[in-house]
Amino acid sequence: MLLRGVRKADLFTSFVVVLVALPLCMGIAVASGVPAELGLITGVVGGLVVGALPGGSLRVSGPAAGLTVLVHEAVQRYGVAALGVLVLAAGLVQVGLGALRLGRWFRAVSVAVAHGMLAGIGLVLVAGQVYALGDAAAPSGGLDRLAGLGALPGRLDPVALSVGGATMVVLLLWGRWRRGARWVPAPFVAVASAMGVTWMFDLEVRRVQVQGLWNAVRVPGAADLGRLTEVGVIGTVVAFALIASAESLFGAAAVDRLPDGRGTDYDRELMAQGAGNAVCGVLGALPMTTLIVRSAVAGGGGVVSEGALAGARSKASRVLHGVWLLLFAAALPGVLGAGVLGAVPVAALAGLLVYVGCKLVPWREARKLWRGQRAEAVVLGVTAVAIVTGDLFEGVVVGLALAVAKTAWEISHVHVEAEDRGDDGLVVRVRGHATFLRLPKLLDALDALPHDRAVRLELGGLRHVDHACAAALAGWAGARGQALVASSRTTS
C-alpha cells in the first residue's frame, strides 16, 4: 500500500502543502473565470491520481496558473461546459506524447524561451488581477488590460483594494519569517487574515461564490465531444497540452539541476500529468501542471517543490495532500459553503495571485542574461512581450522561432582569406558555415577580389554549405572561369 508506513515528515508535509494549495486552487479558478470548486477538484486529482502514479516523487500537481489566461479565453469563447472536453483531450495528447517518448525533447527548449514564458505568464497574471484587487471587471484582451490601467484608479473600490493590499503585505512579511512560514505557509495566513478581518468588521467586498463540490462536476457529453471536430477547439487542445507539458517539465528540469535533485523520467512524468488531466476533463475541472506556481509561493521564488521544502521523503505526501483537500471540500459541505469558501474575499485571492505573478517573472535570470548574453535576453523579452500582447501559445511560438533564428545566425560564420602567391595568382580559402544568412557577405568578399588575377578557390575549410551558397559559389566560379577545390568535410 502506498500510504503504509507513512513517515512523520510526509504527514507534516502534506498538511503544509494543503495550506498552500487551498488558496491557490481557489484563486486560479476564480482568475480563470470558473467556479472555485473546479480548482479544488483539480487539486484533489493532482494528489490522489497523479500523486499515486510513477513520476517525480516529491512534486505536487494542481491547477495550472500558466494556463489561466488561455483557460479564461477558452471559457469566454466556448463556455464552461466545453472546458471538460478540452482538458480531457489535452490530457490524452499528453499521454500520447509520453508514450511516444517525446517528453525528453522539452529539455531542448531554449532556457531564454522558458524564462520568457514564465515572465509573460506572470505579467499577464498581474495585469488581470490588479483589477480584481479593487473589485473591478478586467477587459478580456492583454492589450486592453494594459491600456485600461491608466483609468483604473477611479474604478477601484478602496475597501477591496485595502484588503488586497494588506494580503500582499502579510505575504511578504510572513514569508520573511522563515520559522513561522515553515509551520504555517504565508498564503494561508494571508488569506485567512483577510477572511477574519472582513468578517469581523463586516466589510462590503466581493466574496467567492460557491455552489458545492459535487454540483460543480460536469461530465462531458456526446455534444461536447463532437466539438473536437472544430478547428478552433483543436488548436486550443494542442495549446493546453503543450503549455501544460512545458510548464511541468521545465520545472522538473530545474529541480533536477539542484544539488539534491532526483532524476526525472520525463516520459513517465508526462504520462502521469496527462492521466491527471484526462481525469480532470472527465470531471469538467481545470487543467493541471506541476511545480512552477506552487514552488514560487512556497519557496520564496526558488524553483523547488513544497514537498522538498517541507522535508518530504516519499510520494505519500502528494497523495495525502489530495486526501486532505477531498475531506475538506466534500466531507464538510456546510462549513465549506457558508463558513469558509463563501467568506473568502476575491480581493485577497487577487493579492495572492499578484504576488505569485511577480514571483514568476525571472528578474535575476533576466539580469544575468543581459549582462552576459544580450541576444538571449532579447529572446526572453520578445517572448514575454508576445505573450502579453497576444496569447500564451503565440508568444511561445514567436520565442521559439526567434531562438532558432538567433542560433542559425550565430553558427553561420563564414570567413574568406586570400593569399597572394605572385605569378601563381591568389589562393582564396573559405572557412566556417556557408548558409543563406551569410551569402551576401560571402559574395561581397569574392566580388572584391581583383579581376585581373588568377584565383584558386579552396572550400576545404567549410564545415557546411547549404544549397543557396553552393549554387552561388558555382555561379561565381563559372563566371570567373575558376575551379572549386573542396574536401570531404564539406557538406551540402
Side-chain angles (χ1 to χ4, degrees), residues 5-33:
V6 175
R7 302 181 184 184
K8 291 182 179 179
D10 295 316
L11 189 61
F12 172 72
T13 296
S14 67
F15 285 123
V16 174
V17 171
V18 80
L19 294 181
V20 177
L22 267 173
L24 276 177
C25 288
M26 296 165 53
I28 292 171
V30 173
S32 300

Side-chain angles (χ1 to χ4, degrees), residues 30-89:
V30 173
S32 300
V34 301
E37 295 91 335
L38 295 185
L40 292 174
I41 293 173
T42 300
V44 170
V45 174
L48 297 183
V49 177
V50 180
L53 292 175
S57 62
L58 299 182
R59 284 179 283 276
V60 182
S61 298
L67 287 171
T68 299
V69 178
L70 204 57
V71 170
H72 190 276
E73 293 175 353
V75 169
Q76 294 294 316
R77 182 178 303 174
Y78 305 114
V80 178
L83 180 61
V85 72
L86 293 173
V87 178
L88 170 61

Side-chain angles (χ1 to χ4, degrees), residues 113-137:
V113 175
H115 286 319
M117 184 187 78
L118 293 180
I121 291 170
L123 293 174
V124 172
L125 201 56
V126 170
Q129 294 307 302
V130 165
Y131 290 84
L133 276 175
D135 283 353

